[in-house]
C-alpha cells in the first residue's frame, strides 16, 4: 500500500498550487469588492482569460477524454487539483470540461451540446431539484407529455447552479408517472430559446442559484438524453460524481483557513504573549489539522474507488458528510481565533463562513448522507471494518 503521489502527480499538484498563488489569490480583494457591490466576483471575460493562461500550462479539460482535446487526468488527480483550487475563494474552474452525463449524448447531440460546451461556446445547467423535491427525488412532479414528435414540459426547478447563465439545461421530467421516478424519469436537453426562463435566488453566500420556469415548453424528441425513461440513472451518476468533489473543496478551503489561523496566532499578542502560546488556541489548531487530514484521506479513497471503476457511492457519502462538516467546524474555529477581525468583511473568513454552509445542503444534505450510510450498514451492503 503506497500513499505517495507519483513524481508526475506531484508536479501537477505543484503547478496548480503555483497557478493559484500567482494568478488567483491576488484577485481575492477584487472579488470581495465586486461581491459587496452586487457584481459577480469574476466576470466572464476575466474567467476566460485565466482559463487560457491555464491552458498554456496544459490544464484544459482535466476530466475530458483525449478524443475531445482533454487531459483526462482521472478522479484521483481531479481530487488533488480541486483541493488546490479551493485554497482560494476566487470562483475559477479550468476550461474544456462538460458535465459527465453529457457524454451520454448521441452523435448529433454531441455536435450541438457536448463539443460546444467543452469549447466554452455553450453553458449548461443540471435541472433536477424542485420546490417540493430536493433530497426527496421520489417527489419530483415536473411532467413531460408527448405531442407528436415533441414533448411538452411544464413545471418549475429551483436552486439550479448556473441556471441564470446557461443557454441550455439538462431537465429531468416524468414521462411515465405511473412507473415513478426510478423508471419513468427522462432527461431532456432544453435550449433557453425553446421558452424556459430563469430568475436569480439571493443566498447568504456567493452561490447564486436560479429558479427555472417551464410553461408549455416544446422539446423535440431527438433532444432526449440517454434514452426515454433513463433519467434516474443519469441523475444519480451526476450527483454521485459531485459528492466527493465537495469533500475535496472542503479540504482545500480548510487548509488555507488553518494556515491563516497559524500565521495570525503567531503575531497576535495578548497579555504579553502571542496567542499561539495559549493552550485554547493550540487545541483549536491541532483539532483542525487532524480533521483536515481525515477528510483528505476519505476524499482520496472515494476518488481512488472511482478511478478503479468501483462503486464508490458509500465512500462518496462518507467523504461528503465528514468533509462538509469538517470545513464548517474549521472556519468557525479560525474566525474565533481572529476574534473581531474575523467577523469583519476586511478578511475573507466571514465570506468562507457563509459559503461553506451550503456544502452541508446541496448534492445531498447531511441527513441524506447519514441515511445512505446507515442503510448500507443495516442491510449488509457494507460491513464494519471492511473497506474494500
Amino acid at each position: 500500500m503506497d500513499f505517495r503521489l507519483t513524481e508526475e502527480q506531484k508536479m501537477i499538484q505543484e503547478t496548480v498550487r503555483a497557478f493559484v498563488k500567482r494568478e488567483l489569490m491576488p484577485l481575492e480583494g477584487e472579488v470581495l469588492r465586486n461581491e459587496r457591490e452586487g457584481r459577480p466576483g469574476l466576470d466572464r471575460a476575466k474567467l476566460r482569460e485565466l482559463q487560457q493562461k491555464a491552458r498554456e500550462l496544459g490544464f484544459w479539460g482535466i476530466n475530458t477524454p483525449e478524443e475531445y482535446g482533454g487531459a483526462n487526468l482521472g478522479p484521483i488527480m481531479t481530487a488533488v487539483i480541486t483541493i488546490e483550487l479551493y485554497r482560494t475563494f476566487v470562483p475559477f474552474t479550468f476550461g474544456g470540461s462538460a458535465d459527465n452525463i453529457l457524454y451520454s449524448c448521441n452523435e448529433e447531440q454531441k455536435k450541438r451540446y457536448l463539443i460546444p460546451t467543452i469549447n466554452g461556446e455553450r453553458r449548461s445547467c443540471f435541472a433536477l431539484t424542485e420546490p417540493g423535491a430536493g433530497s426527496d427525488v421520489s417527489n419530483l412532479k415536473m411532467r413531460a407529455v408527448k405531442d407528436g414528435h415533441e414533448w411538452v414540459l411544464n413545471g418549475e426547478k429551483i436552486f439550479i447552479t448556473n441556471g441564470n447563465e446557461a443557454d441550455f439545461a439538462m431537465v429531468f421530467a416524468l414521462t411515465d408517472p405511473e412507473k415513478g421516478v426510478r423508471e419513468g424519469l427522462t432527461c431532456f436537453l432544453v435550449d433557453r430559446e425553446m421558452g424556459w426562463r430563469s430568475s436569480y435566488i439571493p443566498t447568504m453566500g456567493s452561490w447564486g442559484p436560479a429558479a427555472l420556469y417551464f410553461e408549455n415548453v416544446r422539446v423535440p424528441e431527438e433532444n432526449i438524453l440517454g434514452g426515454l425513461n433513463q433519467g434516474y440513472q443519469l441523475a444519480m451518476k451526476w450527483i454521485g460524481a459531485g459528492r466527493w468533489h465537495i469533500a475535496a473543496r472542503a479540504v482545500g478551503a480548510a487548509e488555507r483557513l488553518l494556515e491563516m489561523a497559524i500565521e495570525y496566532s503567531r503575531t497576535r499578542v495578548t497579555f504579553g504573549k502571542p496567542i499561539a502560546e495559549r493552550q485554547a488556541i493550540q487545541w483549536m489548531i491541532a483539532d483542525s489539522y487532524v480533521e483536515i487530514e481525515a477528510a483528505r484521506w476519505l476524499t482520496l479513497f472515494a476518488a481512488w474507488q472511482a478511478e478503479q471503476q468501483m462503486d464508490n457511492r458509500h465512500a462518496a457519502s462518507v467523504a461528503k458528510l465528514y468533509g462538509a462538516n469538517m470545513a464548517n467546524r474549521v472556519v468557525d474555529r479560525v474566525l474565533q481565533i481572529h476574534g473581531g477581525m474575523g467577523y469583519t468583511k476586511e478578511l475573507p473568513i466571514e465570506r468562507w463562513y457563509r459559503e461553506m454552509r451550503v456544502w452541508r445542503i446541496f448534492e445531498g444534505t447531511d441527513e441524506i448522507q447519514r441515511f445512505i450510510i446507515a442503510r448500507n450498514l443495516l442491510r449488509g451492503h457494507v460491513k464494519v471494518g471492511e473497506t474494500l
Side-chain angles (χ1 to χ4, degrees):
M1 185 179 295
D2 190 346
F3 292 97
R4 293 173 297 182
L5 295 177
T6 66
E7 289 303 314
E8 181 181 1
Q9 289 172 329
K10 286 180 182 177
M11 181 187 70
I12 293 172
Q13 181 189 42
E14 290 168 1
T15 302
V16 175
R17 181 169 294 194
F19 178 83
V20 169
K21 287 183 177 180
R22 182 180 65 253
E23 301 291 347
L24 302 185
M25 287 184 181
L27 299 175
E28 289 179 347
E30 180 183 342
V31 168
L32 288 176
R33 286 192 298 274
N34 287 340
E35 290 179 349
R36 283 198 294 266
E37 294 171 7
R39 297 190 301 272
L42 204 63
D43 65 38
R44 185 66 178 161
K46 185 63 176 178
L47 175 60
R48 293 292 291 170
E49 176 189 331
L50 291 167
Q51 287 177 335
Q52 289 303 315
K53 287 184 178 181
R55 188 173 192 172
E56 293 169 5
L57 296 173
F59 293 97
W60 184 262
I62 61 173
N63 271 327
T64 302
E66 291 92 336
E67 63 183 289
Y68 299 106
N72 197 25
L73 296 179
I76 291 175
M77 285 314 300
T78 295
V80 171
I81 289 170
T82 301
I83 289 170
E84 295 303 323
L85 286 182
Y86 274 81
R87 291 170 65 85
T88 180
F89 54 82
V90 174
F92 172 82
T93 56
F94 290 118
S97 299
D99 291 281
N100 61 341
I101 63 174
L102 280 180
Y103 292 98
S104 297
C105 285
N106 59 37
E107 291 305 312
E108 181 59 32
Q109 290 170 344
K110 286 179 181 179
K111 296 176 184 177
R112 294 162 50 208
Y113 297 99
L114 174 63
I115 294 174
T117 300
I118 290 173
N119 292 338
E121 299 161 3
R122 302 201 69 177
R123 299 188 74 177
S124 65
C125 65
F126 176 81
L128 179 69
T129 301
E130 297 179 6
S135 297
D136 183 11
V137 179
S138 65
N139 200 37
L140 288 171
K141 303 296 185 187
M142 185 169 177
R143 295 284 305 276
V145 178
K146 186 77 178 293
D147 183 18
H149 294 291
E150 295 180 319
W151 290 83
V152 182
L153 276 59
N154 280 284
E156 179 182 351
K157 299 294 182 179
I158 198 168
F159 298 125
I160 308 303
T161 301
N162 294 330
N164 286 302
E165 299 80 20
D167 62 276
F168 77 94
M170 296 167 285
V171 183
F172 293 81
L174 288 166
T175 44
D176 194 339
E178 292 184 1
K179 290 184 178 179
V181 168
R182 288 181 179 268
E183 298 181 1
L185 190 69
T186 299
C187 181
F188 296 88
L189 298 168
V190 190
D191 297 306
R192 186 181 288 268
E193 60 198 37
M194 291 177 181
W196 60 270
R197 56 189 178 86
S198 63
S199 63
Y200 180 79
I201 301 174
T203 67
M204 66 183 283
S206 61
W207 180 50
L212 274 53
Y213 308 98
F214 298 81
E215 298 176 5
N216 295 320
V217 174
R218 305 184 75 87
V219 183
E221 190 167 14
E222 56 266 27
N223 278 39
I224 290 176
L225 177 64
L228 184 65
N229 296 330
Q230 300 300 307
Y232 181 80
Q233 290 77 8
L234 289 174
M236 293 305 102
K237 182 179 180 181
W238 192 96
I239 291 171
R243 284 177 176 163
W244 58 266
H245 287 190
I246 293 171
R249 297 182 191 181
V251 172
E255 281 183 348
R256 174 80 182 287
L257 284 160
L258 181 56
E259 288 175 351
M260 292 175 62
I262 291 170
E263 181 180 357
Y264 184 77
S265 69
R266 287 171 174 163
T267 58
R268 174 73 168 117
V269 175
T270 62
F271 304 104
K273 291 183 179 181
I275 62 173
E277 297 185 24
R278 310 294 180 188
Q279 186 182 67
I281 302 300
Q282 293 173 355
W283 284 14
M284 283 192 277
I285 289 172
D287 286 346
S288 295
Y289 177 80
V290 170
E291 292 180 23
I292 291 169
E293 289 304 300
R296 184 194 318 282
W297 294 110
L298 289 171
T299 302
L300 291 175
F301 179 64
W304 176 82
Q305 284 193 326
E307 191 143 317
Q308 301 300 313
Q309 297 185 335
M310 300 167 63
D311 184 350
N312 78 334
R313 288 175 293 178
H314 184 83
S317 285
V318 172
K320 200 269 186 185
L321 174 64
Y322 186 81
N325 279 270
M326 173 278 296
N328 276 264
R329 290 191 295 270
V330 169
V331 71
D332 188 74
R333 292 180 191 131
V334 172
L335 193 153
Q336 189 72 15
I337 289 170
H338 281 77
M341 280 303 298
Y343 191 67
T344 70
K345 291 185 180 293
E346 293 300 311
L347 296 178
I349 300 170
E350 65 83 29
R351 196 259 191 206
W352 258 310
Y353 200 105
R354 290 182 286 109
E355 178 165 338
M356 287 177 173
R357 188 59 183 83
V358 77
W359 295 351
R360 292 180 52 202
I361 297 173
F362 66 13
E363 310 296 351
T365 63
D366 287 354
E367 292 72 28
I368 286 295
Q369 307 313 321
R370 290 189 173 99
F371 168 75
I372 291 169
I373 295 165
R375 180 188 60 191
N376 289 340
L377 290 165
L378 293 169
R379 292 182 178 177
H381 301 318
V382 175
K383 291 182 171 55
V384 175
E386 291 185 3
T387 57
L388 296 176

